[in-house]
Amino acid sequence: MEKVLTIAVPSYNTQDEIDRCLPTMLQHPDTARLEILLVNDGSTDHTLEKMRWYERHYPGIVTVINKKTEGMGLL
């Protein structure tokens, strides 16, 4: 099925917020047409492990991108 919406969720040490954020997105009635990119920006808590759990349980919908911290973007 064609994806019609991509949602990028950048995160740094958000282990407590992930379980509040993602379920609301995954309750959408047409979840199969969503692509959720979880970007871990070098978290030092359990954020990456929680993201990987969602990736395993929602294959084809949730993708984890793990990268080292590069700091805040500048305009």
Side-chain angles (χ1 to χ4, degrees), residues 3-67:
K3 303 294 183 178
V4 297
L5 178 64
T6 299
I7 303 169
V9 182
S11 298
Y12 175 76
N13 289 347
T14 58
Q15 69 180 16
D16 297 331
E17 288 79 23
I18 291 289
D19 290 330
R20 289 190 319 214
C21 171
L22 291 178
T24 60
M25 293 180 214
L26 294 167
Q27 291 174 3
H28 189 277
D30 202 5
T31 304
R33 298 184 73 186
L34 295 178
E35 174 184 41
I36 301 173
L37 303 177
L38 302 178
V39 182
N40 181 49
D41 189 24
S43 295
T44 57
D45 62 1
H46 296 287
T47 297
L48 180 59
E49 289 87 353
K50 287 192 173 211
M51 289 177 166
R52 294 280 188 215
W53 185 93
Y54 283 97
E55 184 177 49
R56 283 191 310 276
H57 287 83
Y58 296 93
I61 298 168
V62 175
T63 301
V64 173
I65 300 168
N66 187 36
K67 58 185 228 48

